[in-house]
Amino acid sequence: MKIRLLLAGALLLAALPGFAEPSTVDRDILTRPLPGLNDEELQRFLRGRSLFRQSWVIAPASDTEVDGLGPLYNRIACISCHPRNGRGGAPSGPQERMQSMLVRLSVPGSPPRPHPVYGDQLNEEGIPGVAGEGRAEVHWQTQNMTLADGHVVELRIPELRFVELAYGNIGPVLVSPRVGPHVAGLGLLNAVDARTLAALAREPKTDGVTGQVNRLGRQRLAGRFGLKANTADLRGQIAGAFHGDMSITSPLFPRENCTPAQPACRKAPNGGQPELSAGQLDDITFYVAHLAPPPRRNTEVPEVKRGETLFTAFGCAACHRPTLHTGKSPHRLLDRRPFSPYTDLLLHDMGPALADNRPDHAASGRQWRTAPLWGIGMLAAINENVGFLHDGRARTIEEAILWHGGEGEAARRRYSEADAATRRDLIEFLNSL
Amino acid sequence: MIDIVLQAWGWERGWALWSEIAANAVLIDRGSTFVTDEIVAGRSAVGISIDFFVNSAIANGASLDFIYPAHTGLNPAHIAVTRDSGNPAGAAAFAGFILSPAGQSLLTHPDIRRLPVRPDVYNELPGKQYNPFAAAANGGLQFDSDTARPRLATLAAVFQQMLVEPHDELRELWQRVRQAEAAGQPTGTIRELLTRPPLDEAAANSPELQRLIGLRLEGGREAALTHAELTWRDRCTQQRRQAAQLLGALKA
């Protein structure tokens, strides 16, 4: 029997009284649809939302639409790592598990070759009867950075240690720890034309900034998603997340995420073939694609206005492009329009301190995709354990800026040489995004 | 939820209340919109929900209010250490923490907003917080779980046949009832037909019937209707048909 919920009082209201306490922060800001969806599209969006929030269960289960978790997995839901579609964070120390973070693994080669035993991602959890692969502990070292005016900022650097490994010694391996990024506005990024990206990469820039499109496979598709832009489109990214993070098979990844060295994993029951149907994959892709970018806030505040000018003057906008345009898209609301992600989707050498030394397609071990800065000012309110930069090492926006090196070095230097009021203006601008 | 009303109002009056609420309601499917979204968007004025869904939405910025009814029930969560736990000491320590004042205070986090089980924790919370211990002392939590538990699936099945399946038809009939009443016409018999449940309380409490209906909970497989449900369906259909005839005679 389909149980339905009851919503009483379908009255037409001219104006609805607002009861929210004015001080309450809107922590659902990253969960809203792009304005302009029609009823049918909205239903699809809501179906996708349910899948994004769904806690997947182990097969076989009475609810056959959402079973098939594991055999090996990291977390049971997309929102575990993308809480309220916001940013994850890193554990505060080795005694804490990774809650919204994962560790990519590979052995040298390009594209990254999976580790023969542990695959391309450490899956900490296993269903009953299948041992989870083990745990990656995060140990923090700290160092102080003194800015030109004497202000001291403590930075922390993660060091990973594998423990409780269930399938034997891991041996030499390339690792890349990453926290879940926020996911609003991604349909727009998905719709940026590959030629636009190539043109951005060719544009001459100052400060030694370059910018490179990640190129994938024989077709040399332009990469857009993932922190090294190693995935061309949103559907592929999402199917990859189902597969890599939860071992949920889909039309794009029909086989369970088990290596030959994991017999129990290979023998475990599955939740259908595939576990995620093409229709479900379409719905959740539609949802993620049509999440509205967070609206700007406080744009008229003087600090914010000054900060916006500084953002360009410091050279931040060379990579964190304020405006991009989408190309042709089959989706009406994503088709040929300007938007403001504060990224160029290109790879930049960010210096040795941020390097993971794990090349990924055309991306070197020192390159990262420019992080989109839209919504960044809301992330700490959405997740109090938020971590900035790829591995969540930065606890504040300021720490994130101070980690910039390589092509970002000149911009970082301008920030650290500025006086306190100027720095505050820049941060206030970032908080308004 | 259905039984909270039935227990507080009595079987006949309770179903009558549900009938009128349902006739004025929009039904939403699992996995679609949220009650809170519908109200924030202004598509409905009032919704029926479980407190923490709404309280969490409010704590996250939704422009809403939540009112605990004078009569309500609690559905307590459980915590236990499994018999074969690999780490019983760790599990017991965790359970101990969850039940401690610090652990229970975490339940008031905007993402959770469940009711702490410790009376002492309420002293530390802002005054607006609903306190089930105070509500119980005022007699608002007289819910009899022992009666409710075995008939849960039965009531859901009655609700389905009586109010959900014919929902569109019921909405229309009730609109006509209200028009007739606004015109000063007598509708006592019609109301009686539209609000009478297809079985009495003793029947709903019978263990044979409960076994027949089985345990059909949310997310379970679709099962064929039992003969009991088919009988209810027919009885409700007949009552609606009679009501429609009487309304026709009133020219409403």
Side-chain angles (χ1 to χ4, degrees):
Chain A
M1 157 181 17
K2 256 224 177 90
I3 302 252
R4 298 165 102 194
L5 303 172
L6 187 71
L7 186 73
L11 312 175
L12 271 181
L13 287 191
L16 203 71
F19 294 99
E21 297 141 46
S23 61
T24 317
V25 185
D26 182 0
R27 294 173 71 239
D28 276 324
I29 193 83
L30 300 179
T31 68
R32 308 265 148 70
L34 281 171
L37 292 181
N38 63 33
D39 274 356
E40 196 186 315
E41 290 166 338
L42 197 60
Q43 287 314 311
R44 191 157 189 216
F45 178 87
L46 295 174
R47 287 198 302 275
R49 177 174 75 175
S50 296
L51 292 168
F52 198 82
R53 297 182 178 192
Q54 179 69 44
S55 294
W56 290 74
V57 297
I58 296 166
S62 59
D63 205 341
T64 54
E65 283 183 16
V66 294
D67 69 345
L69 176 71
L72 292 166
Y73 61 98
N74 289 81
R75 299 299 314 272
I76 64 173
C78 305
I79 47 161
S80 310
C81 293
H82 305 284
R84 290 184 185 274
N85 299 354
R87 171 63 66 90
S92 63
Q95 72 292 342
E96 225 177 81
R97 303 181 80 83
M98 289 185 174
Q99 299 280 4
S100 47
M101 188 173 182
L102 54 83
V103 180
R104 298 236 180 279
L105 305 171
S106 56
V107 293
S110 178
R113 289 165 45 220
H115 185 279
V117 177
Y118 288 92
D120 59 9
Q121 179 172 322
L122 186 74
N123 291 129
E124 300 199 340
E125 309 291 335
I127 64 171
V130 181
E133 291 180 330
R135 226 152 57 72
E137 286 180 349
V138 180
H139 297 257
W140 296 106
Q141 318 283 327
T142 58
Q143 72 185 38
N144 287 337
M145 183 179 273
T146 308
L147 308 190
D149 68 355
H151 179 64
V152 178
V153 182
E154 186 197 77
L155 301 177
R156 52 175 201 175
I157 311 136
E159 188 211 310
L160 284 195
R161 275 182 226 159
F162 292 115
V163 296
E164 299 163 25
L165 287 174
Y167 299 87
N169 214 332
I170 198 163
V173 61
L174 306 179
V175 300
S176 187
R178 304 189 187 177
V179 299
H182 55 309
V183 294
L186 298 188
L188 295 163
L189 292 178
N190 193 46
V192 176
D193 202 277
R195 275 169 310 201
T196 305
L197 297 178
L200 281 176
R202 277 195 308 271
E203 265 178 36
K205 302 158 194 93
T206 52
D207 285 346
V209 174
T210 59
Q212 184 192 333
V213 182
N214 202 350
R215 292 286 173 187
L216 318 170
R218 223 173 284 143
Q219 289 168 277
R220 301 190 34 82
L221 296 175
R224 293 178 184 77
F225 294 105
L227 307 188
K228 283 193 188 262
N230 72 349
T231 306
D233 64 35
L234 203 49
R235 192 176 151 92
Q237 177 75 36
I238 290 172
F242 271 106
H243 189 248
D245 306 339
M246 305 198 296
S247 294
I248 306 253
T249 57
S250 64
L252 298 188
F253 292 86
R255 308 253 298 273
E256 289 291 352
N257 176 18
C258 312
T259 65
Q262 295 170 326
C265 181
R266 296 164 75 89
K267 280 195 218 104
N270 65 53
Q273 285 175 324
E275 290 158 343
L276 184 78
S277 69
Q280 285 176 312
L281 179 57
D282 288 344
D283 285 345
I284 189 169
T285 305
F286 185 88
Y287 168 70
V288 178
H290 288 84
L291 285 166
R296 289 275 322 262
R297 291 163 303 124
N298 304 325
T299 46
E300 295 309 312
V301 174
E303 290 85 339
V304 171
K305 288 183 146 174
R306 287 199 299 271
E308 183 158 16
T309 313
L310 292 165
F311 189 74
T312 307
F314 282 3
C316 314
C319 304
H320 297 284
R321 291 277 176 147
T323 307
L324 291 182
H325 288 82
T326 60
K328 275 207 164 114
S329 163
H331 297 297
R332 179 168 41 84
L333 300 173
L334 304 172
D335 187 43
R336 284 165 293 180
R337 55 174 279 192
F339 66 107
S340 303
Y342 294 87
T343 178
D344 55 6
L345 290 178
L346 300 180
L347 300 168
H348 298 276
D349 181 333
M350 296 301 285
L354 282 179
D356 66 354
N357 300 310
R358 179 178 178 271
D360 196 339
H361 296 84
S364 77
R366 285 163 60 128
Q367 281 178 319
W368 294 101
R369 181 195 69 174
T370 307
L373 297 181
W374 53 8
I376 193 163
M378 287 301 295
L379 297 180
I382 296 172
N383 176 6
E384 56 268 68
N385 299 317
V386 68
F388 300 106
L389 297 174
H390 63 273
D391 54 14
R393 68 176 70 186
R395 291 157 290 191
T396 60
I397 292 178
E398 174 165 77
E399 288 179 31
I401 298 172
L402 293 176
W403 275 110
H404 282 53
E407 296 174 40
E409 172 63 25
R412 183 201 64 79
R413 198 165 4 87
R414 288 189 196 106
Y415 178 85
S416 61
E417 286 169 357
D419 60 42
T422 306
R423 296 199 306 268
R424 206 174 316 122
D425 289 348
L426 181 70
I427 302 280
E428 279 313 305
F429 165 68
L430 294 172
N431 275 327
S432 79
L433 295 181
Chain B
M1 195 183 281
I2 298 173
D3 221 352
I4 291 172
V5 174
L6 301 183
Q7 289 192 18
W9 287 55
W11 185 257
E12 304 283 335
R13 280 180 65 222
W15 280 111
L17 179 60
W18 275 126
S19 306
E20 287 206 64
I21 290 175
N24 193 33
V26 186
L27 303 176
I28 59 182
D29 276 319
R30 179 166 82 111
S32 69
T33 182
F34 301 146
V35 171
T36 46
D37 284 356
E38 293 302 292
I39 295 168
V40 168
R43 286 186 288 270
S44 286
V46 186
I48 299 177
S49 186
I50 297 173
D51 60 350
F52 65 86
F53 289 124
V54 184
N55 287 333
S56 171
I58 293 171
N60 283 301
S63 198
L64 286 172
D65 198 7
F66 184 80
I67 299 164
Y68 285 87
H71 290 277
T72 188
L74 296 178
N75 190 3
H78 300 87
I79 187 165
V81 179
T82 51
R83 192 191 51 205
D84 299 329
S85 164
N87 180 4
F94 179 70
F97 168 73
I98 291 296
L99 297 172
S100 73
Q104 288 295 303
S105 300
L106 288 178
L107 296 180
T108 63
H109 186 283
D111 288 345
I112 308 176
R113 285 292 154 124
R114 310 252 177 161
L115 297 173
V117 296
R118 295 179 68 103
D120 52 349
V121 170
Y122 289 88
N123 301 334
E124 312 299 319
L125 301 179
K128 271 183 66 187
Q129 167 73 42
Y130 175 76
N131 182 336
F133 295 98
N138 292 331
L141 290 174
Q142 306 282 358
F143 187 69
D144 178 359
S145 308
D146 293 335
T147 304
R149 209 174 302 106
R151 70 187 195 186
L152 176 66
T154 306
L155 297 188
V158 174
F159 198 89
Q160 184 78 16
Q161 296 309 324
M162 176 176 168
L163 301 175
V164 174
E165 298 293 344
H167 185 245
D168 292 341
E169 192 186 333
L170 280 172
R171 280 184 71 148
E172 195 232 301
L173 288 171
W174 275 99
Q175 262 163 21
R176 291 167 64 194
V177 170
R178 299 221 168 78
Q179 278 159 13
E181 287 172 353
Q185 291 173 309
T187 56
T189 321
I190 301 170
R191 279 180 163 266
E192 218 278 315
L193 287 164
L194 290 181
T195 60
R196 193 198 310 143
L199 76 174
D200 62 20
E201 184 161 18
N205 287 339
S206 105
E208 297 86 83
L209 177 65
Q210 290 165 359
R211 254 196 310 281
L212 179 73
I213 300 290
L215 203 67
R216 299 225 203 130
L217 293 180
E218 194 172 351
R221 287 177 213 280
E222 302 271 333
L225 292 184
T226 59
H227 66 78
E229 287 160 296
L230 292 171
T231 315
W232 304 338
R233 187 181 70 185
D234 293 346
R235 201 166 291 161
C236 292
T237 309
Q238 234 163 37
Q239 288 173 198
R240 285 197 308 280
R241 206 168 289 148
Q242 284 175 27
Q245 272 162 12
L246 291 175
L247 280 165
L250 289 178
K251 304 226 173 8

